[in-house]
Amino acid sequence: MARILETTVELKSSPGKFLDMFVGKQQFEISSVCPSYVQGCELREGEMGQVDGEEKMMMEMIDSIDLENNQITFKVLDGDLMKEYTLFLITLQVTSKEGDVGSVAHWHFQYVKLNEKVADPESLLQFAIEVSKEIDAHLFSW
């Protein structure tokens, strides 16, 4: 049975600018923007932008991009995460703040645990929050 875990992060940057860090040419800069969280990012195949304290590796692919709604979904294919889950989808949607400057990043994890002994991915959710804050600080400093 699929489970859902989600959170939101308030940002100073615009939705398009923030999302571009994940789907545009800047996606390979994430490791230099937040090196304490991301040690590397490389394109394995296709075209860029097309459809606990321990270091972890995760290989994902872009499953869908909806630029009109500032939304991207990643499907995790391999790596440490897939040792505990049979399905893991990560959706990021960034929306403008109503009547204010900035935006809100909404992280949505849909996953199926390998078994009931596997913990919910709370630490990965915290990772998404921290990476969002570092990317936002980088973008807002431009």
Side-chain angles (χ1 to χ4, degrees):
M1 179 171 93
R3 296 176 184 225
I4 293 174
L5 192 60
E6 52 194 342
T7 192
T8 58
V9 182
E10 294 211 13
L11 308 170
K12 295 177 183 175
S13 54
S14 70
K17 204 171 178 182
F18 187 81
L19 197 67
D20 194 51
M21 288 296 293
F22 295 90
V23 299
K25 293 180 181 177
Q26 294 183 8
Q27 68 182 335
F28 297 107
E29 294 179 25
I30 289 179
S31 60
S32 64
V33 171
C34 33
S36 58
Y37 294 103
V38 180
Q39 281 71 48
C41 178
E42 69 180 67
L43 181 65
R44 294 285 179 138
E45 67 178 62
E47 279 187 57
M48 182 171 42
Q50 302 294 311
V51 161
D52 306 15
E54 292 179 37
E55 288 185 18
K56 300 284 185 180
M57 192 281 291
M58 178 171 58
M59 186 168 77
E60 59 194 29
M61 66 174 255
I62 295 174
D63 193 50
S64 67
I65 299 172
D66 180 351
L67 294 178
E68 187 175 314
N69 292 306
N70 295 312
Q71 181 173 307
I72 182 169
T73 300
F74 299 94
K75 181 176 184 179
V76 179
L77 301 173
D78 198 6
D80 298 314
L81 202 57
M82 297 313 290
K83 293 175 184 172
E84 298 180 319
Y85 303 94
T86 58
L87 169 75
F88 211 104
L89 299 173
I90 301 169
T91 301
L92 169 62
Q93 183 173 27
V94 189
T95 56
S96 296
K97 285 185 184 174
E98 295 279 330
D100 201 359
V101 180
S103 56
V104 177
H106 181 194
W107 290 95
H108 177 99
F109 296 169
Q110 181 180 351
Y111 56 95
V112 176
K113 296 179 182 183
L114 197 58
N115 59 56
E116 286 304 312
K117 293 179 183 177
V118 173
D120 291 312
E122 304 268 345
S123 61
L124 186 60
L125 199 64
Q126 187 59 41
F127 170 83
I129 292 168
E130 297 304 321
V131 167
S132 296
K133 289 177 181 178
E134 286 201 20
I135 290 172
D136 188 49
H138 168 77
L139 291 173
F140 203 69
S141 68
W142 284 5

